[in-house]
Amino acid sequence: MNEEQILLGIGLTVVLAVGSQILASRLRVPSLIILLPAGFTAGALTDVVHPDQLAPDFNSLVSLAVAVILYDAGLGLELPHLKGETRSVVLRLIVLGAPITWGACLGLIFALFDVPFTVAVMTGVILVVSGPTVVGPILEHVRPTDRLRRILTWEGSLIDPVGGILGAVVFHVIVRSQENREFRFGIFVGGMAVGLIGGAVGLALLWLALRRLRLGGTLGTLAQLASVVAVSAGCDMVFDDTGLIAAIVMGIAVANLPGFDMPARRPFFETVVELTVGLLFISISATVEPKTVAPVILPSLALIAVLVVVVRPLVALCAAARTDLGSGERGFVGWMAPRGIVAACTASTFSTSLVDKGVHDADKILPITFLVIVGTVLVYALTAGPVAARLGVSRSTRTRPLLVGGSSWAIDLARALRAAGLDVLMWAGPATERERIRESDIELAAGELFAAITNPQAMLEGVTAVLLLTDDDDFNALASVVMQDRVEGPVYRVAPPPGSQGVVAPYTGGHVLFGSGLGGRTLTSRHERGARFRVQSAAEAVPPGHETLFVVRADGPLEPVTEGQAASFTKADTLVLLGPADTDALPDRST
């Protein structure tokens, strides 16, 4: 390829990766559903989207890129949540699930595809892995219960490095058998040791960068990327794919050990990971030739059907035995095992190497894996929502708001929202306000809630919207920024007074409740003068002098009126109104 073709290939790969992810977000489907066909089509129709010609050693770059992805996945794994029955199920899904899945895939592939036993073994171990890059988006769309989300996220993140090292071991066994050399179990143990030692070295580097040097923001992100890439490269030089173990160990350690000052928001790092995922899927799928896919389509469909209907439910049954998981939870665990980026990467790497070693039918590994990835993602992405609803394991679409602040009007608002059918939670700092909340019979969040939610590794589970209603406008503004990425839903704050000279509030964006004409001080004043909240059906006419503040949709979501969004509703919805004050004829000087 000449220089112009290389530039065109790189540009087209990036455009396809980003464009596919944008399209997937608009269609509300996992990006993999768009990325794989886009890359496959580009590889079939053009000669420029060919990673082996665009990159000097594509397989090595793939390994390092996957390490970065797994490190990011490890940052989202909180050990305090891996306890009790959750820990037992996750461990069984890996310890029991991996060999069961491997054995089933081996037998099916050997019988369906008429390939040598070595190729069946290699393909089977590749199909053991799942992955957070595909499980996460499906769970985000389905919104299962917190315990199910933790189980499946932990499984997907941990099975990838385990599957990667198993694949490397099997690859070495096949290569040594081709060379008439004996494989020793000590090589497997040594590979695991290399990954763990690498993780410890990487953790020391991150401790130096993030704690001793206190690198934050862009420099902190660059230090993490450099550490992960350097350690993973070093491990892979010693033993193939051990860098994946080092990466996940580093991520989990940084997320759970005290003293690591991770930034609350990591937009640059998240952007790098998303772009990396897109580029990998486009590039790998572009290497799959149509002529190699056609002969294996029908047996691949049979393989997918058995994996989905028989093998995964069997794994879930074994993993959940003698635990308190309900039948619905067990059923959903048995209906969630899509294959993802690690399967694609290991298939691309090992199949190419085995073909070069002269292993017969090794060229079938990549197309089989490609079809299983596409098939499992389509099946689970399209059916997970209805299955979760049928099994009763989906979280309610009804908003669960957290109201921050304990003033009289905020407590009355909490009562109104509860009367509208919402499960309301409140938090306040001052002891007097917390006591008022208790006396009002509103559920009170733990006193350390705000300290926990400002922790970059924390997520406020169960809360799907936050309303910041304190009397301190700067506190509300700062909290709205800090909490935005810690809550699975929007964060709103009351407006500061017009012309406010606050330090932060007048200059901070975000969702502002009710508009600047109805700020916190105005609400306090009107409530003191007798204004009260009213809950009524949207089918009824709004009484004179009342203002619509919230719309509770018929299926449960809460939609506040904001500066940029006026009230819109149907007759099936419920309205929360603010009535007139007894002295509304008097001018309101509170703002």
Side-chain angles (χ1 to χ4, degrees), residues 292-343:
T292 64
V293 172
V296 298
I297 289 180
L298 290 179
S300 294
L301 292 176
L303 174 62
I304 293 168
V306 176
L307 288 177
V308 170
V309 178
V310 178
V311 178
R312 179 60 181 188
L314 176 62
V315 169
L317 182 65
C318 295
R322 295 194 299 274
T323 68
D324 65 355
L325 261 67
S327 58
E329 292 175 309
R330 299 180 187 214
F332 190 75
V333 171
W335 196 259
M336 185 54 57
R339 274 57 178 180
I341 188 66
V342 174

Side-chain angles (χ1 to χ4, degrees), residues 19-32:
S20 297
Q21 290 174 317
I22 293 174
L23 178 60
S25 69
R26 290 291 183 267
L27 298 176
R28 299 178 63 84
V29 298
S31 59
L32 194 58

Side-chain angles (χ1 to χ4, degrees), residues 402-405 426-429 434 445-456 458 460 466-468 470 474-484 486-487 491:
L402 167 67
L403 278 60
V404 179
M426 291 195 76
W427 180 88
R434 295 178 64 80
E448 65 275 8
L449 177 141
F450 196 79
I453 200 62
T454 55
N455 176 1
L460 189 56
V466 175
L467 309 180
L468 296 163
T470 74
D474 286 331
F475 172 89
N476 294 336
L478 286 171
S480 69
V481 175
V482 173
M483 298 180 76
Q484 187 62 65
R486 310 272 71 81
V487 178
V491 178

Side-chain angles (χ1 to χ4, degrees), residues 408-467:
S408 297
W409 74 266
I411 293 175
D412 279 352
L413 175 59
R415 290 195 186 101
L417 293 175
R418 187 173 62 179
L422 301 181
D423 181 15
V424 180
L425 181 68
M426 291 195 76
W427 180 88
T432 54
E433 293 186 355
R434 295 178 64 80
E435 186 60 31
R436 282 204 299 263
I437 294 172
R438 289 191 187 95
E439 293 174 352
S440 68
D441 198 28
I442 299 292
E443 183 178 353
L444 179 65
E448 65 275 8
L449 177 141
F450 196 79
I453 200 62
T454 55
N455 176 1
Q457 281 81 48
M459 285 296 291
L460 189 56
E461 294 186 346
V463 171
T464 55
V466 175
L467 309 180

Side-chain angles (χ1 to χ4, degrees), residues 89-437:
V89 174
V90 170
L91 292 177
R92 291 178 187 177
L93 284 172
I94 296 172
V95 175
L96 300 178
I100 291 174
T101 305
W102 185 6
C105 289
L106 188 161
L108 289 168
I109 292 168
F110 186 69
L112 292 172
F113 295 91
D114 191 26
V115 294
F117 183 76
T118 54
V119 173
V121 172
M122 188 76 255
T123 311
V125 76
I126 289 171
L127 296 179
V128 164
V129 300
S130 178
T133 58
V134 62
V135 172
I138 295 177
L139 296 180
E140 183 178 349
H141 176 68
V142 176
R143 294 174 57 82
T145 61
D146 290 332
R147 180 160 69 167
L148 280 176
R149 181 179 57 80
R150 293 190 205 111
I151 289 172
L152 293 169
T153 300
W154 272 94
E155 181 205 7
S157 299
L158 295 180
I159 195 67
D160 276 356
V162 171
I165 189 66
L166 287 176
V169 169
V170 171
F171 173 77
H172 281 277
V173 171
I174 295 174
V175 170
R176 284 175 173 266
S177 66
Q178 292 288 109
E179 299 172 352
N180 295 319
R181 290 191 295 164
E182 182 182 356
F183 179 83
R184 297 180 180 178
F185 182 74
I187 293 179
F188 171 75
V189 177
M192 297 293 292
V194 168
L196 294 176
I197 293 171
V201 172
L203 184 61
L205 293 175
L206 292 173
W207 179 84
L208 175 64
L210 300 178
R211 187 170 183 182
R212 295 292 295 176
L213 300 180
R214 297 191 179 278
L215 299 179
T218 302
L219 288 178
T221 299
L222 292 176
Q224 293 175 71
L225 285 172
S227 300
V228 173
V229 170
V231 169
S232 299
C235 291
D236 287 344
M237 289 171 63
V238 178
F239 194 94
D240 291 340
D241 283 348
T242 53
L244 302 184
I245 296 177
I248 196 73
V249 167
M250 291 167 65
I252 294 175
V254 169
N256 291 278
L257 292 180
F260 284 95
D261 298 325
M262 295 292 292
R265 304 185 69 184
R266 301 177 292 119
F268 175 67
F269 197 89
E270 293 164 358
T271 301
V272 169
V273 171
E274 286 297 316
L275 180 60
T276 300
V277 170
L279 293 176
L280 285 178
F281 276 125
I282 290 292
S283 300
I284 292 172
S285 57
T287 64
V288 181
E289 300 180 3
K291 64 181 181 180
T292 64
V293 172
V296 298
I297 289 180
L298 290 179
S300 294
L301 292 176
L303 174 62
I304 293 168
V306 176
L307 288 177
V308 170
V309 178
V310 178
V311 178
R312 179 60 181 188
L314 176 62
V315 169
L317 182 65
C318 295
R322 295 194 299 274
T323 68
D324 65 355
L325 261 67
S327 58
E329 292 175 309
R330 299 180 187 214
F332 190 75
V333 171
W335 196 259
M336 185 54 57
R339 274 57 178 180
I341 188 66
V342 174
C345 294
T346 52
S348 175
T349 301
F350 294 140
S351 65
T352 302
S353 300
L354 292 178
V355 168
D356 293 340
K357 295 288 184 181
V359 176
H360 181 62
D361 280 341
D363 57 337
K364 292 183 179 180
I365 294 175
L366 184 56
I368 293 172
T369 305
F370 175 81
L371 290 173
V372 171
I373 292 173
V374 174
T376 55
V377 170
L378 281 173
V379 168
Y380 293 123
L382 297 177
T383 64
V387 168
R390 182 69 179 268
L391 295 174
V393 295
S394 297
R395 280 189 294 175
S396 172
T397 59
R398 190 167 295 277
T399 300
R400 191 190 188 206
L402 167 67
L403 278 60
V404 179
S407 62
S408 297
W409 74 266
I411 293 175
D412 279 352
L413 175 59
R415 290 195 186 101
L417 293 175
R418 187 173 62 179
L422 301 181
D423 181 15
V424 180
L425 181 68
M426 291 195 76
W427 180 88
T432 54
E433 293 186 355
R434 295 178 64 80
E435 186 60 31
R436 282 204 299 263
I437 294 172

